[in-house]
Amino acid sequence: MLEITDLKRRFLKLMKQDGINEIQLEELEKTLNIILPKDFKEIAAFFSGGSLGIIDNYNFVKTCEGGNIADETLRLREAINLPANFIVLSEPPESLVVMDLKEKPSIIWCDANDVSNLEHKSFCNEPNVWEDYSEYFNELLSDEEEDKLS
């Protein structure tokens, strides 16, 4: 797992802090009947979702703008029987980014055609994966830094 203080420092050079509090995190966990990983919670203290790098991430809590993790996860649990150990982070065109709360690698960005293969991880098209949320966040942050420099 990457050093969260370094990720926070880099993030704050690019954007303002917009994290969520422990009560909001507990509500998200309660709504989805999950336990979020430590690195996700630490990053959520200064980043609450939204555009970063090349990805438009769902908001971590309900806001007036865009979708949120809880609503989208519950919707896909109903619509496609998304297993309960996955939460939905983003839905880029023709794909899905989820966090597996049970196994590593935790973050999986798969083709829309492979969504039904998440549970057994038997993908037709090799997905992009990150070991944990901090690695995923680091890559998005690096993309954002690169974009700001060009």
Side-chain angles (χ1 to χ4, degrees):
M1 186 172 12
L2 295 167
E3 184 64 42
I4 304 301
T5 54
D6 181 54
L7 294 174
K8 180 178 181 180
R9 179 190 54 75
R10 290 171 50 211
F11 177 81
L12 293 177
K13 282 184 176 180
L14 300 170
M15 301 175 164
K16 67 179 178 124
Q17 183 163 322
D18 71 342
I20 62 174
N21 61 44
E22 287 183 34
I23 294 168
Q24 292 168 308
L25 281 168
E26 289 170 4
E27 184 62 32
L28 177 59
E29 289 178 321
K30 182 179 171 185
T31 299
L32 296 175
N33 194 27
I34 58 165
I35 296 174
L36 293 163
K38 182 179 184 231
D39 64 333
F40 181 90
K41 290 179 180 182
E42 290 176 350
I43 291 168
F46 59 88
F47 174 71
S48 65
S51 292
L52 184 63
I54 61 169
I55 301 287
D56 189 20
N57 297 278
Y58 286 124
N59 293 309
F60 296 174
V61 295
K62 291 184 182 191
T63 64
C64 298
E65 304 167 14
N68 65 78
I69 288 175
D71 288 349
E72 295 304 318
T73 298
L74 293 173
R75 182 181 68 79
L76 288 179
R77 282 181 183 175
E78 179 70 27
I80 64 166
N81 294 317
L82 182 70
N85 57 297
F86 291 99
I87 63 170
V88 179
L89 300 176
S90 180
E91 288 184 77
E94 307 297 322
S95 62
L96 183 69
V97 180
V98 295
M99 181 163 47
D100 185 341
L101 302 171
K102 188 169 76 173
E103 296 179 6
K104 301 258 182 195
S106 295
I107 310 301
I108 303 168
W109 183 356
C110 67
D111 185 279
N113 296 322
D114 275 328
V115 170
S116 60
N117 300 326
L118 277 167
E119 184 172 15
H120 300 290
K121 296 186 178 157
S122 56
F123 302 106
C124 296
N125 300 304
E126 195 66 31
N128 292 329
V129 296
W130 294 266
E131 194 65 18
D132 53 37
Y133 189 78
S134 62
E135 284 187 10
Y136 170 72
F137 185 81
N138 179 60
E139 186 162 324
L140 297 181
L141 190 54
S142 294
D143 290 344
E144 186 75 24
E145 289 167 332
E146 188 176 306
D147 185 52
K148 299 281 187 199
L149 291 174
S150 49

